[in-house]
Amino acid sequence: MIKRTRIANQSTVLEFILMGFSDDCDVRHLHFIMFLFIYLLALTGNLLIILVVFLNHHLHTPMYFFLANLSLTDICLITTTVPKSIAVSLTDNKIITVPGCVAQVFLIVCFTCSEVSLLTIMAYDRYIAICLPLQYSLILNWDACNQMAVTSWVSSLLYASLQTVLTFQLSFCGPNTIGQFFCDIPQLQKISCTDTKVNQIVIWIIGFIVSSFCSGLVFASYVYIISAVLKIQSTEGRCKAFSTCIPHLTVFSLFMATCLFSYMRPKSLSFPIIDLLSAVSYIVVPPLMNPIIYSLRNKNIQAAVWKLTLKKTNKQTNPNLI
């Protein structure tokens, strides 16, 4: 049932209905199993990276510091949406309250922006490591790393606050059905009964500035990186450098492209299946794939996980071992 309050002959929505789910019971159960598996896998992989980086002092370097921050962001991003979608699939209760919707919008924008900024910083880190290795510890000292991490989180919080305030200054007095499995800003603009031009202009302007800056910095870094890598005489050295950089560049490109498409595409390109796929591409896929890309292909992470596993096994087999 749609709940509204009536003020001066105008009804105000008190809750929203999330769509993006099938009414078929079997399909909902399949969705529940699939999303639960993805969520647990993403949670385990990212928590493992954070734990390994925290416990292994050999990994206390800027590269792994930012990787741990990225894993924390991924956990927060997928936790903001997927558990709610799992609950909806299990109970078929698609209702989300306005405060719950506000919280989702704020957190999604915050963690999405944080992901973009951290991926950009990681590209800069690789540029310094490969092109200026002798100055690496001087340029990326711990003060600089902490400042970049704090700047990333603070700027994300400020932008999320701006977008949340702008979105919920709109009036919602008509349909309360959101055509997505979470509270998505473009979908909320669709069902608003007030003009959304200002909101769209803000998204376009800030989106253009941020995407231009981050993409420019990332691709400029990789131009220098590729140039430096091609000068390496050893084939093994070139392969090692490319195996580190190419996955990161791929992750950044896909994440940025799907975010821009989701928030800045014309309304004529908005269809339910396209909206759903684009949302999954930047909300669900990165938290699932990042641990695989940055751990299974990283020998230092693999060695640290193996060492941690052996240590735990030895303690279980010999409790008196110190």
Side-chain angles (χ1 to χ4, degrees):
M1 181 180 293
I2 299 175
K3 292 184 179 179
R4 296 189 179 97
T5 57
R6 188 167 295 279
I7 303 173
N9 295 324
Q10 186 178 22
S11 58
T12 302
V13 171
L14 297 179
E15 60 188 23
F16 297 102
I17 297 175
L18 298 175
M19 298 304 292
F21 304 98
S22 174
D23 293 326
D24 184 89
C25 184
D26 292 335
V27 175
R28 288 205 320 271
H29 289 165
L30 179 62
H31 173 268
F32 165 76
I33 294 170
M34 183 177 66
F35 263 44
L36 179 63
F37 176 75
I38 289 173
Y39 179 66
L40 292 177
L41 195 63
L43 200 64
T44 302
N46 285 290
L47 282 174
L48 184 62
I49 289 177
I50 294 172
L51 183 65
V52 166
V53 171
F54 178 76
L55 294 178
N56 193 314
H57 69 277
H58 295 295
L59 300 181
H60 292 177
T61 63
M63 174 183 175
Y64 295 104
F65 170 73
F66 293 123
L67 180 57
N69 272 270
L70 182 67
S71 292
L72 177 61
T73 301
D74 284 335
I75 289 172
C76 295
L77 180 61
I78 198 169
T79 300
T80 302
T81 57
V82 171
K84 175 63 178 177
S85 71
I86 291 172
V88 170
S89 297
L90 188 62
T91 63
D92 198 29
N93 181 6
K94 302 177 181 180
I95 293 174
I96 183 170
T97 62
V98 171
C101 196
V102 171
Q104 268 200 343
V105 166
F106 175 80
L107 293 174
I108 288 168
V109 175
C110 177
F111 297 133
T112 300
C113 291
S114 178
E115 182 108 2
V116 170
S117 58
L118 285 170
L119 288 172
T120 303
I121 292 170
M122 290 171 69
Y124 178 69
D125 169 81
R126 291 299 83 206
Y127 160 71
I128 300 297
I130 294 174
C131 298
L132 303 169
L134 298 179
Q135 302 178 44
Y136 184 81
S137 59
L138 180 64
I139 298 174
L140 285 180
N141 55 60
W142 283 112
D143 286 339
C145 292
N146 289 326
Q147 288 173 6
M148 284 190 283
V150 169
T151 301
S152 167
W153 284 103
V154 170
S155 59
S156 299
L157 287 169
L158 291 174
Y159 181 61
S161 300
L162 172 65
Q163 284 296 342
T164 304
V165 169
L166 287 176
T167 299
F168 289 95
Q169 278 185 341
L170 300 172
S171 297
F172 301 96
C173 51
N176 68 334
T177 300
I178 299 174
Q180 192 55 274
F181 65 93
F182 61 93
C183 285
D184 193 20
I185 289 179
Q187 299 296 330
L188 286 166
Q189 289 179 355
K190 277 186 181 181
I191 63 174
S192 172
C193 52
T194 50
D195 190 11
T196 61
K197 285 183 181 179
V198 172
N199 301 60
Q200 292 170 356
I201 290 171
V202 170
I203 289 176
W204 270 87
I205 292 175
I206 297 180
F208 177 78
I209 294 172
V210 171
S211 63
S212 298
F213 174 77
C214 293
S215 298
L217 185 58
V218 168
F219 287 104
S221 297
Y222 277 104
V223 167
Y224 286 106
I225 288 171
I226 292 171
S227 176
V229 168
L230 292 176
K231 295 177 183 177
I232 299 175
Q233 299 297 324
S234 168
T235 303
E236 183 181 352
R238 286 199 299 269
C239 291
K240 183 178 179 180
F242 277 126
S243 68
T244 302
C245 298
I246 290 176
H248 176 267
L249 183 60
T250 304
V251 168
F252 175 83
S253 300
L254 290 175
F255 187 80
M256 181 64 78
T258 51
C259 282
L260 292 176
F261 181 77
S262 295
Y263 285 90
M264 300 174 65
R265 71 186 184 276
K267 289 184 179 180
S268 59
L269 294 178
S270 180
F271 301 100
I273 186 63
I274 294 177
D275 295 343
L276 184 62
L277 291 175
S278 62
V280 169
S281 296
Y282 79 91
I283 293 290
V284 178
V285 173
L288 176 66
M289 295 304 297
N290 285 347
I292 297 173
I293 291 171
Y294 292 113
S295 61
L296 294 183
R297 297 174 58 89
N298 189 300
K299 292 182 179 180
N300 292 330
I301 293 287
Q302 292 173 8
V305 170
W306 182 245
K307 183 178 178 180
L308 184 65
T309 304
L310 288 177
K311 186 177 181 181
K312 185 176 180 180
T313 303
N314 289 335
K315 284 186 177 181
Q316 288 176 346
T317 55
N318 190 355
N320 296 322
L321 183 66
I322 299 177

XYZ file of all heavy atoms in Angstrom, residues 95-162:
526
model
N 9.260 -2.581 -0.178
C 9.129 -1.227 0.356
C 10.437 -0.779 1.019
O 11.078 -1.539 1.739
C 7.980 -1.167 1.393
C 6.642 -1.385 0.688
C 7.986 0.166 2.131
C 5.467 -1.487 1.636
N 10.813 0.464 0.745
C 11.916 1.109 1.446
C 11.428 2.479 1.904
O 10.781 3.206 1.136
C 13.180 1.227 0.566
C 14.332 1.846 1.356
C 12.914 2.019 -0.710
C 15.683 1.766 0.643
N 11.689 2.830 3.140
C 11.224 4.104 3.684
C 12.033 5.249 3.087
O 13.129 5.047 2.537
C 11.361 4.131 5.211
O 12.750 4.000 5.559
C 10.569 2.994 5.851
N 11.495 6.447 3.216
C 12.208 7.628 2.719
C 13.558 7.794 3.430
O 14.576 8.014 2.757
C 11.342 8.894 2.856
C 12.169 10.150 2.550
C 10.148 8.825 1.915
N 13.636 7.691 4.772
C 14.960 7.771 5.413
C 15.922 6.695 4.915
O 17.118 6.949 4.738
C 14.641 7.583 6.904
C 13.238 8.046 7.052
C 12.554 7.638 5.786
N 15.406 5.489 4.686
C 16.246 4.423 4.151
C 16.748 4.751 2.748
O 17.893 4.462 2.403
N 15.898 5.359 1.959
C 16.263 5.757 0.603
C 17.305 6.875 0.632
O 18.264 6.865 -0.151
C 15.010 6.204 -0.150
S 15.217 6.294 -1.941
N 17.124 7.824 1.543
C 18.095 8.913 1.705
C 19.468 8.337 2.051
O 20.492 8.731 1.476
C 17.638 9.906 2.799
C 18.750 10.902 3.112
C 16.376 10.637 2.372
N 19.481 7.385 2.981
C 20.738 6.770 3.402
C 21.402 6.037 2.239
O 22.621 6.138 2.053
C 20.486 5.801 4.566
N 20.608 5.316 1.452
C 21.175 4.597 0.308
C 21.786 5.553 -0.708
O 22.904 5.325 -1.182
C 20.099 3.740 -0.365
C 20.017 2.328 0.150
C 19.320 1.392 -0.829
O 18.631 1.806 -1.753
N 19.506 0.102 -0.610
N 21.075 6.618 -1.043
C 21.590 7.584 -2.019
C 22.902 8.179 -1.529
O 23.903 8.245 -2.265
C 20.559 8.698 -2.283
C 21.197 9.872 -3.024
C 19.380 8.159 -3.079
N 22.918 8.612 -0.271
C 24.126 9.228 0.289
C 25.309 8.260 0.254
O 26.409 8.612 -0.193
C 23.863 9.680 1.724
C 25.090 10.211 2.427
C 25.523 11.505 2.195
C 25.815 9.411 3.306
C 26.663 12.000 2.820
C 26.949 9.894 3.933
C 27.368 11.183 3.698
N 25.097 7.036 0.724
C 26.191 6.064 0.822
C 26.678 5.605 -0.547
O 27.882 5.434 -0.769
C 25.745 4.865 1.659
C 25.485 5.169 3.139
C 24.901 3.949 3.843
C 26.770 5.618 3.842
N 25.748 5.394 -1.485
C 26.145 4.953 -2.830
C 27.003 6.007 -3.507
O 28.054 5.697 -4.082
C 24.901 4.634 -3.688
C 24.241 3.342 -3.198
C 25.276 4.490 -5.161
C 22.874 3.099 -3.779
N 26.578 7.270 -3.456
C 27.356 8.348 -4.077
C 28.716 8.479 -3.394
O 29.756 8.623 -4.055
C 26.588 9.685 -4.019
C 27.454 10.824 -4.549
C 25.300 9.598 -4.822
N 28.728 8.397 -2.067
C 29.966 8.537 -1.308
C 30.972 7.449 -1.684
O 32.127 7.735 -2.012
C 29.661 8.493 0.191
S 31.133 8.568 1.239
N 30.530 6.196 -1.664
C 31.464 5.094 -1.916
C 31.837 4.980 -3.392
O 32.944 4.548 -3.728
C 30.875 3.785 -1.400
C 30.648 3.780 0.092
C 29.448 3.334 0.636
C 31.626 4.251 0.953
C 29.240 3.358 2.002
C 31.427 4.271 2.329
C 30.230 3.822 2.852
N 30.934 5.392 -4.273
C 31.266 5.406 -5.694
C 32.355 6.437 -5.979
O 33.328 6.153 -6.697
C 30.020 5.722 -6.539
O 29.022 4.716 -6.307
C 30.350 5.732 -8.019
N 32.209 7.628 -5.414
C 33.227 8.676 -5.594
C 34.556 8.251 -4.968
O 35.626 8.505 -5.536
C 32.754 9.983 -4.964
S 31.385 10.746 -5.822
N 34.485 7.623 -3.805
C 35.695 7.153 -3.143
C 36.414 6.108 -3.997
O 37.648 6.108 -4.097
C 35.343 6.562 -1.773
O 36.488 6.054 -1.127
N 35.638 5.229 -4.635
C 36.225 4.204 -5.504
C 36.969 4.851 -6.672
O 38.103 4.458 -7.003
C 35.125 3.277 -6.024
C 35.608 2.154 -6.901
C 35.550 0.798 -6.237
O 35.099 0.708 -5.085
O 35.980 -0.171 -6.878
N 36.353 5.838 -7.297
C 36.987 6.524 -8.431
C 38.284 7.202 -7.990
O 39.322 7.088 -8.657
C 36.025 7.562 -9.044
C 36.751 8.434 -10.062
C 34.852 6.873 -9.708
N 38.230 7.906 -6.870
C 39.422 8.635 -6.421
C 40.545 7.681 -6.014
O 41.721 7.940 -6.303
C 39.064 9.567 -5.258
O 38.500 8.840 -4.179
N 40.204 6.560 -5.372
C 41.235 5.597 -4.970
C 41.871 4.917 -6.187
O 43.084 4.697 -6.217
C 40.645 4.554 -4.023
C 40.373 5.031 -2.596
C 39.574 3.997 -1.822
C 41.685 5.335 -1.866
N 41.070 4.588 -7.181
C 41.621 4.001 -8.404
C 42.543 4.992 -9.119
O 43.555 4.602 -9.706
C 40.485 3.565 -9.338
C 39.694 2.331 -8.891
C 38.472 2.123 -9.781
C 40.561 1.080 -8.898
N 42.202 6.279 -9.035
C 43.059 7.309 -9.626
C 44.372 7.416 -8.868
O 45.457 7.492 -9.474
C 42.333 8.670 -9.602
O 41.078 8.570 -10.281
C 43.177 9.752 -10.275
N 44.288 7.418 -7.544
C 45.498 7.488 -6.711
C 46.395 6.272 -6.952
O 47.623 6.389 -7.004
C 45.114 7.582 -5.214
C 44.439 8.929 -4.928
C 46.345 7.419 -4.332
C 43.822 9.021 -3.549
N 45.778 5.100 -7.128
C 46.555 3.879 -7.371
C 47.298 3.946 -8.701
O 48.403 3.410 -8.840
C 45.637 2.663 -7.307
C 45.146 2.357 -5.897
S 43.865 1.086 -5.833
C 44.803 -0.373 -6.286
N 46.711 4.610 -9.703
C 47.407 4.802 -10.979
C 48.614 5.717 -10.782
O 49.698 5.472 -11.341
C 46.455 5.387 -12.015
N 48.431 6.762 -9.993
C 49.544 7.674 -9.686
C 50.645 6.939 -8.936
O 51.843 7.133 -9.190
C 49.025 8.859 -8.873
C 50.086 9.847 -8.451
C 50.723 10.646 -9.393
C 50.443 9.980 -7.107
C 51.695 11.569 -9.003
C 51.412 10.891 -6.715
C 52.029 11.670 -7.661
O 52.999 12.575 -7.276
N 50.249 6.067 -8.012
C 51.204 5.256 -7.260
C 52.045 4.386 -8.200
O 53.263 4.288 -8.067
C 50.449 4.381 -6.254
C 51.336 3.322 -5.625
O 52.068 3.651 -4.680
O 51.279 2.149 -6.073
N 51.385 3.745 -9.167
C 52.108 2.896 -10.133
C 53.043 3.737 -11.008
O 54.134 3.291 -11.363
C 51.120 2.128 -11.006
C 50.324 1.058 -10.300
C 51.211 -0.028 -9.698
N 51.750 0.358 -8.399
C 52.878 -0.107 -7.893
N 53.611 -0.955 -8.575
N 53.297 0.284 -6.709
N 52.613 4.949 -11.346
C 53.464 5.845 -12.151
C 54.756 6.178 -11.401
O 55.860 6.082 -11.960
C 52.695 7.125 -12.489
C 53.586 8.284 -12.871
C 54.263 8.292 -14.089
C 53.759 9.363 -12.000
C 55.099 9.354 -14.432
C 54.586 10.422 -12.335
C 55.257 10.415 -13.547
O 56.076 11.459 -13.877
N 54.633 6.543 -10.124
C 55.815 6.879 -9.329
C 56.715 5.657 -9.166
O 57.944 5.742 -9.297
C 55.411 7.424 -7.943
C 54.555 8.690 -8.081
C 56.653 7.720 -7.093
C 55.263 9.850 -8.730
N 56.102 4.492 -8.904
C 56.872 3.266 -8.659
C 57.669 2.829 -9.890
O 58.798 2.349 -9.763
C 55.937 2.144 -8.213
N 57.096 2.993 -11.072
C 57.737 2.506 -12.298
C 58.615 3.572 -12.955
O 59.722 3.276 -13.421
C 56.672 1.993 -13.283
C 55.988 0.749 -12.701
C 57.279 1.677 -14.650
C 54.826 0.236 -13.516
N 58.123 4.811 -12.979
C 58.855 5.866 -13.699
C 59.850 6.618 -12.810
O 60.867 7.123 -13.311
C 57.867 6.855 -14.310
S 56.759 6.107 -15.521
N 59.578 6.709 -11.513
C 60.460 7.434 -10.593
C 60.760 6.577 -9.363
O 60.497 6.990 -8.227
C 59.815 8.762 -10.168
C 59.420 9.738 -11.278
C 58.569 10.868 -10.737
C 60.666 10.283 -11.975
N 61.299 5.390 -9.556
C 61.472 4.455 -8.430
C 62.392 4.978 -7.329
O 62.177 4.690 -6.146
C 62.057 3.204 -9.091
C 62.667 3.686 -10.365
C 61.819 4.831 -10.813
N 63.426 5.753 -7.694
C 64.363 6.254 -6.684
C 63.743 7.340 -5.810
O 64.222 7.595 -4.696
C 65.621 6.802 -7.375
C 66.437 5.774 -8.194
C 67.635 6.448 -8.842
C 66.878 4.609 -7.312
N 62.678 7.968 -6.297
C 62.020 9.024 -5.523
C 60.717 8.555 -4.871
O 59.981 9.359 -4.302
C 61.725 10.218 -6.444
C 62.961 10.808 -7.113
C 62.604 11.949 -8.053
O 61.802 12.816 -7.728
N 63.203 11.941 -9.241
N 60.429 7.253 -5.007
C 59.135 6.719 -4.562
C 58.878 6.999 -3.078
O 57.830 7.543 -2.707
C 59.090 5.208 -4.817
C 57.752 4.569 -4.481
C 56.683 4.638 -5.374
C 57.557 3.916 -3.271
C 55.470 4.067 -5.072
C 56.341 3.337 -2.955
C 55.298 3.412 -3.864
O 54.092 2.846 -3.555
N 59.830 6.632 -2.230
C 59.632 6.803 -0.788
C 59.599 8.273 -0.393
O 59.015 8.635 0.637
C 60.724 6.071 -0.007
O 62.002 6.562 -0.371
N 60.226 9.116 -1.188
C 60.222 10.555 -0.890
C 58.897 11.193 -1.271
O 58.329 11.991 -0.506
C 61.376 11.233 -1.638
C 61.523 12.747 -1.426
C 61.856 13.044 0.035
C 62.598 13.306 -2.352
N 58.386 10.848 -2.463
C 57.122 11.439 -2.941
C 55.925 10.844 -2.213
O 55.063 11.569 -1.728
C 56.985 11.236 -4.470
C 58.117 11.956 -5.212
C 55.621 11.747 -4.952
C 58.142 11.680 -6.698
N 55.873 9.516 -2.150
C 54.742 8.847 -1.492
C 55.131 8.405 -0.093
O 55.113 7.222 0.239
C 54.277 7.658 -2.330
C 53.473 7.989 -3.596
C 53.087 6.722 -4.338
C 52.226 8.789 -3.261
N 55.472 9.385 0.741
C 55.704 9.077 2.155
C 54.359 8.910 2.853
O 53.296 9.162 2.269
C 56.547 10.182 2.811
C 55.910 11.558 2.628
O 54.800 11.804 3.062
N 56.631 12.445 1.928
N 54.392 8.486 4.105
C 53.128 8.180 4.789
C 52.259 9.411 5.017
O 51.030 9.309 5.021
C 53.406 7.457 6.111
C 53.746 6.017 5.881
C 54.944 5.408 6.079
C 52.879 5.015 5.339
N 54.878 4.085 5.707
C 53.624 3.822 5.256
C 51.555 5.004 4.926
C 53.090 2.628 4.781
C 51.005 3.819 4.446
C 51.764 2.651 4.369
N 52.866 10.571 5.186
C 52.073 11.798 5.316
C 51.287 12.063 4.033
O 50.094 12.396 4.073
C 52.980 12.993 5.620
C 53.480 12.982 7.053
O 52.832 12.317 7.892
O 54.511 13.622 7.341
N 51.965 11.899 2.891
C 51.296 12.109 1.602
C 50.191 11.092 1.382
O 49.099 11.429 0.907
C 52.318 12.042 0.469
N 50.453 9.840 1.738
C 49.438 8.777 1.572
C 48.208 9.056 2.421
O 47.065 8.927 1.959
C 50.029 7.416 1.937
S 51.294 6.825 0.798
N 48.438 9.417 3.682
C 47.312 9.709 4.577
C 46.517 10.917 4.091
O 45.281 10.927 4.149
C 47.826 9.951 6.000
C 48.320 8.681 6.664
O 47.772 7.595 6.426
N 49.340 8.785 7.490
N 47.219 11.934 3.605
C 46.535 13.128 3.095
C 45.678 12.798 1.874
O 44.543 13.274 1.754
C 47.559 14.205 2.755
C 48.203 14.864 3.965
C 49.336 15.794 3.595
O 49.594 16.059 2.421
N 50.047 16.296 4.604
N 46.207 11.974 0.976
C 45.443 11.600 -0.218
C 44.222 10.757 0.162
O 43.137 10.943 -0.403
C 46.339 10.849 -1.205
C 47.295 11.746 -1.959
S 48.148 10.913 -3.332
C 49.361 9.965 -2.420
N 44.388 9.837 1.100
C 43.269 9.000 1.537
C 42.184 9.847 2.215
O 40.991 9.685 1.932
C 43.755 7.907 2.481
N 42.604 10.750 3.081
C 41.637 11.617 3.779
C 40.934 12.533 2.786
O 39.713 12.726 2.853
C 42.348 12.449 4.872
C 41.418 13.536 5.411
C 42.812 11.545 6.009
N 41.691 13.086 1.837
C 41.093 13.951 0.810
C 40.056 13.187 -0.001
O 38.981 13.714 -0.324
C 42.183 14.506 -0.122
O 43.124 15.254 0.636
C 41.570 15.397 -1.192
N 40.377 11.936 -0.327
C 39.447 11.093 -1.080
C 38.137 10.909 -0.321
O 37.050 11.099 -0.879
C 40.094 9.730 -1.352
O 39.145 8.792 -1.797
N 38.230 10.564 0.950
C 37.015 10.313 1.739
C 36.234 11.595 2.006
O 35.000 11.604 1.903
C 37.390 9.642 3.060
C 37.731 8.195 2.917
C 38.974 7.623 2.921
C 36.820 7.106 2.705
N 38.888 6.267 2.745
C 37.589 5.922 2.614
C 35.430 7.018 2.597
C 37.008 4.668 2.409
C 34.851 5.774 2.396
C 35.636 4.615 2.301
N 36.943 12.684 2.343
C 36.249 13.947 2.665
C 35.538 14.502 1.431
O 34.376 14.922 1.499
C 37.246 14.985 3.230
C 36.585 16.359 3.330
C 37.737 14.552 4.603
N 36.210 14.510 0.276
C 35.576 15.011 -0.944
C 34.379 14.150 -1.342
O 33.360 14.670 -1.818
C 36.598 15.060 -2.084
O 37.139 13.776 -2.339
N 34.482 12.848 -1.129
C 33.359 11.946 -1.424
C 32.174 12.234 -0.515
O 31.022 12.249 -0.965
C 33.801 10.482 -1.261
O 34.849 10.158 -2.147
N 32.444 12.474 0.767
C 31.373 12.791 1.725
C 30.686 14.112 1.361
O 29.454 14.224 1.429
C 31.942 12.871 3.142
C 32.328 11.541 3.800
C 33.129 11.784 5.080
C 31.076 10.713 4.114
N 31.483 15.104 0.961
C 30.908 16.412 0.609
C 30.038 16.313 -0.642
O 28.932 16.869 -0.686
C 32.032 17.432 0.395
C 32.814 17.852 1.642
C 33.980 18.756 1.269
C 31.894 18.545 2.648
N 30.536 15.597 -1.666
C 29.749 15.465 -2.893
C 28.494 14.641 -2.655
O 27.424 14.962 -3.188
C 30.592 14.822 -3.991
C 29.839 14.680 -5.294
C 29.358 15.798 -5.970
C 29.591 13.422 -5.844
C 28.661 15.682 -7.159
C 28.892 13.296 -7.041
C 28.430 14.418 -7.685
O 27.730 14.291 -8.861
N 28.607 13.600 -1.838
C 27.431 12.783 -1.515
C 26.387 13.610 -0.768
O 25.180 13.480 -1.016
C 27.844 11.572 -0.674
N 26.848 14.479 0.119
C 25.923 15.349 0.855
C 25.201 16.295 -0.098
O 23.980 16.500 0.003
C 26.682 16.159 1.914
O 27.321 15.311 2.833
N 25.949 16.864 -1.052
C 25.353 17.777 -2.027
C 24.289 17.069 -2.859
O 23.159 17.581 -2.998
C 26.452 18.335 -2.940
C 25.977 19.162 -4.141
C 25.281 20.436 -3.676
C 27.154 19.496 -5.072
